[in-house]
Amino acid sequence: MQLAILEALNAEHAARRAAILVTELGSGRQRLVKSAEIAADPLAEALGEALRTGRSRLVETGNERVFLTVEVPAPRLVITGAVHVSQALAPMASAAGFDVIVVDPRTAFATPERFPGVDLRAEWPDVALPKIGLDPFTAVAALTHDPKIDDPALAEALAASCFYVGALGSRKTHGARLERLAAGGLSREALATIHAPIGLDIGAASPAEIAVSILAEVIAELRRRPAARERAA
């Protein structure tokens, strides 16, 4: 790989942006296509499909065969609220391949003893999230029931085009939440993308079951709606 391509690929990695390395098998020539450049590329359809699935593949175009090496950031799950559901959700999400971060300024809850091995940020979301850097490959689950913690996280997640944004609470609670966020300047269109009540409707009752329903919904969004991430990346 040429040094310039390697440097460009490393820069995309560092910025958590998707890219595809195109290798012409006949000549060995390589080029890097950044996610924002795919639409204008001669291989746009094949590149878009490869990015959608996240899988590297061999493609034949005319008399040429090219190999597409897909490089996408690892999916990440940011949870606001070091609550019981989060204690069950964090290890399950980690086992499913997500980088997990739990944000909660309440130091009585956000402790290493309650979340062993988890990246804990005992800070308010408006302090922690800019440092984390939300992006289209990140899911955000707001689980505290506390508007002072959940609302800023939801607003930040929507602004960053996170691929999944969900919030715990009843429909009545969510209705009040939408009114607050709308009063803060968020559009109704953006607010409509929030998953609430959070999680798939599997009749979950215990914290562990709710965690399962949330993770299943997050994974479904990750696999079903990559096009939105591509546009935003």
Side-chain angles (χ1 to χ4, degrees):
M1 183 184 298
Q2 295 178 1
L3 180 58
I5 294 177
L6 179 60
E7 290 176 343
L9 182 58
N10 287 339
E12 296 307 291
H13 278 167
R16 284 183 56 85
R17 291 191 295 259
I20 298 178
L21 179 66
V22 179
T23 303
E24 298 177 6
L25 298 187
S27 65
R29 286 194 295 266
Q30 292 183 314
R31 60 190 177 89
L32 187 68
V33 182
K34 301 174 184 177
S35 57
E37 302 169 343
I38 287 178
D41 194 275
L43 298 177
E45 184 175 350
L47 293 172
E49 177 63 13
L51 193 58
R52 187 186 71 77
T53 61
R55 295 177 180 173
S56 301
R57 64 180 57 191
L58 181 66
V59 173
E60 294 191 8
T61 170
N63 295 325
E64 184 65 77
R65 294 197 309 160
V66 299
F67 192 80
L68 309 180
T69 304
V70 180
E71 302 284 350
V72 296
R76 186 168 54 179
L77 174 61
V78 174
I79 305 168
T80 59
V83 296
H84 291 308
V85 174
S86 308
Q87 286 181 285
L89 177 57
M92 285 194 291
S94 180
F98 288 81
D99 294 333
V100 179
I101 302 173
V102 175
V103 177
D104 196 325
R106 302 169 299 182
T107 53
F109 297 110
T111 66
E113 291 76 20
R114 299 183 75 232
F115 291 88
V118 176
D119 184 351
L120 277 175
R121 310 293 177 94
E123 300 174 310
W124 291 92
D126 57 352
V127 175
L129 297 184
K131 290 187 285 189
I132 292 169
L134 302 183
D135 58 37
F137 299 92
T138 300
V140 172
L143 304 181
T144 71
H145 284 302
D146 186 339
K148 297 191 301 298
I149 300 174
D150 285 345
D151 286 7
L154 293 170
E156 188 84 13
L158 293 174
S161 299
C162 290
F163 76 86
Y164 175 92
V165 183
L168 197 65
S170 66
R171 297 188 187 283
K172 180 180 179 181
T173 297
H174 187 57
R177 176 188 293 132
L178 293 180
E179 292 303 319
R180 291 193 305 273
L181 293 172
L186 291 177
S187 70
R188 295 289 181 184
E189 181 181 13
L191 293 173
T193 65
I194 299 175
H195 293 259
I198 194 171
L200 296 181
D201 184 7
I202 58 172
S206 68
E209 290 174 353
I210 295 171
V212 168
S213 73
I214 294 171
L215 183 57
E217 191 172 49
V218 170
I219 292 174
E221 274 310 289
L222 178 67
R223 299 307 177 198
R224 288 175 183 166
R225 299 182 57 188
R229 298 197 304 279
E230 292 164 21
R231 288 193 298 271

